[in-house]
Amino acid sequence: MRRNMAEQNPNPGGKKRSETMETIVKAERLTQIAFVMPIAVLIGWGGGALLDKWLHQSWIYIVGVVFGAIAGMVEAVRQALRAGREK
């Protein structure tokens, strides 16, 4: 038996999300904070390692790791502040 569109979607306007969906979205945003720092450090390390190989040096990767850590920390703080304002 087929239902009409109004029966399938009780909230056709999509004006308000359910509380469960809001909780899931908030959890996803907070999970992003946990991934930002290590990914930024890995990108900095990778970029530094490539520059080390290209320029025949052995210290640039350390600078990449430091810049990656700083960039990751800045972005994690931004996301945390944004999550705090949305409460």
Side-chain angles (χ1 to χ4, degrees):
M1 182 186 296
R2 289 187 166 195
R3 295 181 178 173
N4 64 22
M5 291 301 286
E7 290 176 345
Q8 288 178 358
N9 189 358
N11 192 3
K15 294 180 182 177
K16 176 119 171 98
R17 292 182 185 171
S18 68
E19 288 183 30
T20 304
M21 186 57 85
E22 289 290 333
T23 304
I24 291 171
V25 169
K26 286 179 186 176
E28 184 270 334
R29 287 182 185 152
L30 293 175
T31 303
Q32 285 179 357
I33 296 171
F35 287 105
V36 165
M37 185 71 169
I39 289 173
V41 171
L42 282 174
I43 290 171
W45 172 77
L50 287 174
L51 284 173
D52 276 344
K53 207 172 247 195
W54 182 51
L55 299 173
H56 305 290
Q57 297 293 318
S58 61
W59 58 271
I60 301 174
Y61 76 96
I62 296 171
V63 175
V65 168
V66 170
F67 280 141
I70 292 169
M73 187 63 73
V74 168
E75 185 59 29
V77 168
R78 283 182 184 170
Q79 287 182 5
L81 291 174
R82 190 178 312 130
R85 275 186 273 153
E86 292 176 358
K87 282 186 175 180

